């Protein structure tokens, strides 16, 4: 029986995040940009940032400028790159806070240059090349114009191109032919930029999957994200890479009851116990980030064994069938964790609901309390 007040909590091991960072930093033997976007992949932006820095990260990466500004407001002084910007982004705030920004297109570069002139500061800029993901980045057709404009702006003293980069589509499938194709396009983009005079920019391409599996993509520094939090970007066992999951998701049983065989459980009666059994009510649901698709498929550690969710996940709760096992209101159950105490892992859940662990750890939240253990980077 738990003595904690929280009905449900996400427990984050800061020491695991720091240790994972150290493992990856040692593996690549070069600088490491730790990606802490999306609230530190659901682990908490500021605690995660401090933990990765304690583990040896050289810089931080975030998607949106608000994340970068939050790091600065909290007193974090490490280099930070922010890369996902729409029209009207307040680049002046970024430059004033000494934040590096990424540019995808000439109109974006124009906005950065305008901010540089307004503030009197030189803007540190990374140019993003679309090498085959067809998402962010300048296409091969648009790249020469962007590079030429950046070279002019650098010559004028408005910007300093400090990075050239791209993102991979299939790094989690290390033998996929797109990998070699993207590397070739990236190196062609780099060569064009070098010829235009952008000779000081550092190169970065490797995400988590490439960091653990594709040394030829490491270039000047690597840019892991999910692996820092102990999740295998290849979908396997993170221990194979020396990593340990940092997140444990647990809840306290709200109610138990004995029910007869054949009773319908939860909305739509999609589950019927075959014999008299004990049901345990778990007070979290899809409003808290537990996927509705987990009904009748996802595992939970309860009463000493893994049990599959019985029936549909509801907005605030779901049900477990624990058979004749002893269980009481207030007892702990674990949705996922590192896996070394018999609990499912985020990968088990991802397999069960046909998604990826990235989605699970970043969506879980809602009314869960978050609690930190370990001391790495703690304030």
């Amino acid at each position: 029986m738990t003595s904690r007040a929280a009905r449900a909590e996400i427990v984050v091991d800061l020491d695991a995040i720091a240790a994972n960072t150290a493992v990856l930093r040692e593996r690549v033997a070069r600088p490491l940009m730790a990606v802490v976007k999306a609230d530190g992949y659901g682990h908490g932006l500021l605690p995660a940032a401090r933990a990765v820095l304690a583990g040896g990260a050289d810089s931080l990466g975030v998607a949106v400028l608000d994340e970068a500004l939050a790091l600065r407001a909290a007193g974090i002084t490490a280099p930070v790159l922010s890369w996902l910007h729409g029209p009207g982004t307040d680049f002046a705030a970024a430059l004033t806070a000494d934040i590096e920004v990424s540019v995808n297109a000439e109109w974006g570069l124009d906005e950065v240059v305008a901010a540089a002139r307004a503030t009197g500061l030189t803007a540190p800029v990374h140019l993003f090349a679309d090498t085959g993901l067809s998402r962010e980045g300048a296409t091969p057709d648009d790249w020469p114009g962007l590079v030429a404009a950046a070279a002019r702006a650098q010559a004028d003293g408005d910007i300093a191109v400090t990075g050239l980069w791209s993102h991979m589509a299939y790094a989690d499938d290390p033998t996929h032919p797109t990998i070699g194709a993207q590397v070739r396009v990236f190196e062609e983009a780099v060569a064009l930029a070098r010829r235009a005079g952008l000779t000081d920019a550092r190169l970065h391409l490797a995400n988590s999957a490439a960091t653990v599996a594709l040394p030829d993509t490491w270039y000047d520094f690597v840019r892991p994200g999910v692996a820092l939090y102990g999740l295998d970007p290849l979908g396997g066992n993170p221990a194979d890479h020396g990593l340990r999951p940092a997140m444990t998701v647990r809840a306290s049983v709200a109610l138990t009851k004995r029910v007869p065989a054949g009773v319908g459980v939860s909305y739509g009666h999609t589950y019927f116990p075959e014999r008299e059994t004990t049901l345990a009510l778990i007070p979290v649901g899809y409003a808290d980030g537990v996927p509705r698709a987990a009904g009748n498929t996802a595992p939970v550690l309860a009463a000493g064994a893994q049990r599959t969710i019985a029936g549909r996940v509801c907005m605030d709760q779901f049900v477990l069938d624990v058979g004749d096992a002893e269980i009481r209101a207030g007892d702990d159950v674990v949705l996922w964790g590192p896996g070394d105490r018999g609990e499912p892992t985020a990968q088990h859940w991802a397999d069960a609901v046909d998604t990826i662990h990235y989605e699970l750890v970043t969506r879980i939240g809602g009314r869960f309390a978050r609690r930190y253990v370990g001391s790495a980077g703690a304030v």
Side-chain angles (χ1 to χ4, degrees), residues 313-352:
V313 173
C314 307
M315 185 180 295
D316 314 297
Q317 54 200 281
F318 64 82
V319 178
L320 297 175
D321 181 347
V322 302
D324 295 324
E326 183 178 342
I327 193 167
R328 296 175 295 175
D331 284 355
D332 270 353
V333 301
V334 179
L335 281 68
W336 67 76
D340 50 11
R341 296 180 178 86
E343 77 276 19
T345 65
Q347 184 64 56
H348 291 143
W349 269 67
D351 294 340

Side-chain angles (χ1 to χ4, degrees), residues 57-82:
D58 301 272
S59 61
L60 301 172
V62 296
V64 299
L65 182 55
D66 284 349
E67 296 169 322
L69 293 172
L71 294 172
R72 288 289 185 256
I76 292 174
T77 59
V80 178
L81 170 67
S82 173

